Amino acid sequence: QVQLVESGGGLVQAGGSLGLSCAASGRFVSIKTMAWYRQAPGKQRELVAEITSDGSTKYADSVKGRCTISRDNAKNTVYLRMDSLKPDDTAVYYCNADVNLTWYQRTVYWGQGTQVTVSS
């Protein structure tokens, strides 16, 4: 079993910054892609940013230039730095990891979510 534990959400004013982290624990061989998704009330869950094990990144157009995703493979941890936050960034942010449990078994895991609220 793999667990993803997120931290760092909270309340921030528009224009401010916030950092999220997500640590994976459990028994697995490796983690391929790690990502952050978000879901605002009444909306579908959407990708914010993802990063592969070799550091390649991808961002949603809505956060390009304002967010930076990074990871520490030794700590099995992914980070999301968000700057110039807007009220539209208010959502529950979920960590996602594509995990190689064994050399032939691969499963996607989700964190429990952390609330980010941006006040205007």
Side-chain angles (χ1 to χ4, degrees), residues 45-101:
R45 191 172 297 189
E46 62 176 2
L47 175 70
V48 177
E50 65 180 28
I51 183 168
T52 64
S53 56
D54 63 0
S56 297
T57 59
K58 175 183 175 181
Y59 295 92
D61 287 343
S62 59
V63 303
K64 276 181 182 176
R66 300 189 297 118
C67 287
T68 302
I69 189 170
S70 60
R71 66 189 279 178
D72 184 333
N73 290 330
K75 296 181 179 179
N76 296 312
T77 300
V78 63
Y79 306 94
L80 185 70
R81 169 77 180 185
M82 298 185 289
D83 298 311
S84 303
L85 282 161
K86 308 173 182 179
D88 284 349
D89 294 317
T90 296
V92 177
Y93 283 70
Y94 296 92
C95 176
N96 170 286
D98 187 355
V99 179
N100 287 320
L101 296 176

